[in-house]
Amino acid sequence: TYKHQSWQVWSDFNLMAACAISNRFDQARFEEREKMYMDRIARYDEKERQVFPELFAIVVEALDDNPEQDFLGNLFMQLELGNHWKGQFFTPYNLCQVMAEMQTGKLQEMVAQKGYIGVNDPACGAGATLIAFAHAAMAKGINYQQQVLFVAQDIDQTAALMCYIQLSLLGCPGYVVIGDTLSQPVPKDPSSIWYTPLYFS
């Protein structure tokens, strides 16, 4: 960050990581997202470009080592990047765990009736509440990778893509929408929808 703003590097990293994940599975949006990726990476010189795969490897390793955490959200807050984005503050993960536990009372019955359940966070941030729900469901004997559809939305692109990256790496089937939940709960622009890899299977 010696010649780039920290918040810009963070935003660029999340966009490029999300594009890299998406383009392995979502062929309908490949060209558009490949262009997004190339436009962002062009801001950096050759040496700087080599850092981004290393950063992505750190995220993968952190979530592999401890899947029950909001790694990107915590890092975002520790780096005090929320101040740039209109004073954003992400819900602490332990509070998300409590909220998730409150919603898991009749999961077994719901899955038995429909074969799956859906969970939606209309202001998802980095996805902490959905991650906590996945683990709360798993504790109740629900295979969240096969029996839960995760739906997330956030008006802020960077936050929504943080959620997308984490849900993707944790194997949560579903999608993340970039947009205003209040004014447009049903997205009209297909390019605003980011489907996780497990959604396709």
Side-chain angles (χ1 to χ4, degrees):
T1 58
Y2 60 93
K3 70 176 184 180
H4 302 282
Q5 293 288 334
S6 296
W7 61 266
Q8 189 64 64
V9 174
W10 180 267
S11 176
D12 290 345
F13 164 71
N14 281 283
L15 177 74
M16 290 188 289
C19 287
I21 293 169
S22 174
N23 280 355
R24 293 281 296 150
F25 301 91
D26 191 351
Q27 295 305 304
R29 294 162 185 80
F30 179 88
E31 289 185 18
E32 172 194 353
R33 291 185 179 159
E34 187 68 7
K35 183 180 184 310
M36 291 168 72
Y37 181 97
M38 297 307 291
D39 287 347
R40 290 298 174 99
I41 200 72
R43 297 176 178 178
Y44 300 92
D45 64 33
E46 188 58 39
K47 186 177 179 182
E48 292 167 339
R49 292 177 188 183
Q50 295 173 14
V51 174
F52 290 103
E54 294 175 21
L55 295 176
F56 187 68
I58 290 169
V59 176
V60 172
E61 186 177 338
L63 289 173
D64 188 50
D65 183 53
N66 177 17
E68 194 168 359
Q69 65 167 321
D70 177 14
F71 180 73
L72 290 176
N74 287 339
L75 194 53
F76 180 88
M77 296 309 297
Q78 288 175 20
L79 294 172
E80 299 181 351
L81 294 170
N83 293 333
H84 178 77
W85 279 281
K86 304 170 189 155
Q88 283 181 326
F89 182 83
F90 293 155
T91 307
Y93 189 74
N94 59 349
L95 183 55
C96 294
Q97 288 176 304
V98 172
M99 292 189 297
E101 285 290 334
M102 292 169 58
Q103 301 300 318
T104 58
K106 297 184 179 180
L107 286 189
Q108 299 267 0
E109 296 171 29
M110 295 167 71
V111 170
Q113 288 174 359
K114 289 178 58 178
Y116 76 100
I117 54 169
V119 59
N120 184 322
D121 187 345
C124 64
T129 302
L130 295 173
I131 295 167
F133 184 86
H135 291 282
M138 193 164 56
K140 299 280 186 181
I142 305 296
N143 182 341
Y144 72 84
Q145 293 183 331
Q146 296 178 349
Q147 298 172 307
V148 180
L149 175 67
F150 295 84
V151 179
Q153 186 160 346
D154 203 285
I155 195 169
D156 180 77
Q157 175 177 285
T158 299
L161 293 180
M162 289 162 61
C163 179
Y164 172 76
I165 292 165
Q166 296 195 121
L167 292 183
S168 294
L169 294 177
L170 292 171
C172 299
Y175 56 91
V176 178
V177 179
I178 301 170
D180 187 339
T181 304
L182 294 176
S183 66
Q184 200 170 73
V186 178
K188 295 178 182 175
D189 179 7
S191 67
S192 70
I193 306 171
W194 293 71
Y195 296 98
T196 67
L198 233 63
Y199 176 88
F200 292 95
S201 62

